[in-house]
Amino acid sequence: MAMHGDLSPEARDRAGRTVDAAAVFADHAEHIVAALPEVPDGHVLVAVVDDDHSFTGTHHVEQERLVERIPELEGDGGWAMVFTLGVDEDAVRRRTEEMATLARRRGEIIDRIRAKREDQV
């Protein structure tokens, strides 16, 4: 049987919660864009939503440290999005909609696979 990744109830819940987190990022698009001009050279802006779906702010992160810093900023169950200078509010909202669309699709796929497996039992 082929593996389809994590199909657990927790993964399904995470997909739904990611849709909600994307909306929080979109609601703070103006704040995100306003923080971009202050980002130093060699850094990017990381916006963070915590596991309670609260926007916790933006952080300047050195590009070379992204891999280690993103998990630190996300904490246990949060979300982070990375932005660079030149992004406008429309672009932030487009990216958050893409994030939500992918999360919705992930949830739907998990639901279909789990339903199919239940039918086979």
Side-chain angles (χ1 to χ4, degrees):
M1 177 185 282
M3 287 300 295
H4 295 283
D6 186 358
L7 304 174
S8 68
E10 294 81 12
R12 177 59 180 98
D13 179 63
R14 178 69 178 184
R17 291 173 46 76
T18 298
V19 173
D20 296 337
V24 175
F25 284 115
D27 289 345
H28 290 86
E30 183 177 341
H31 177 90
I32 292 166
V33 171
L36 283 167
E38 300 170 15
V39 176
D41 287 341
H43 290 68
V44 293
L45 186 76
V46 179
V48 180
V49 171
D50 70 13
D51 62 336
D52 290 324
H53 294 104
S54 295
F55 184 75
T56 60
T58 59
H59 306 268
H60 302 164
V61 177
E62 291 178 81
Q63 291 175 355
E64 295 82 26
R65 297 196 59 222
L66 274 174
V67 173
E68 64 190 68
R69 288 288 293 142
I70 294 281
E72 292 171 7
L73 292 170
E74 288 177 331
D76 188 29
W79 296 263
M81 292 188 79
V82 177
F83 300 95
T84 57
L85 193 60
V87 173
D88 62 17
E89 289 179 42
D90 288 337
V92 171
R93 289 189 182 95
R94 274 193 306 276
R95 286 190 49 206
T96 61
E97 184 53 40
E98 290 171 8
M99 178 183 185
T101 297
L102 291 172
R104 273 189 218 94
R105 287 181 185 159
R106 173 75 176 142
E108 292 166 359
I109 290 168
I110 290 170
D111 290 343
R112 280 197 305 268
I113 293 170
R114 289 178 68 193
K116 187 174 184 175
R117 287 182 178 177
E118 287 176 14
D119 288 344
Q120 293 174 352
V121 174

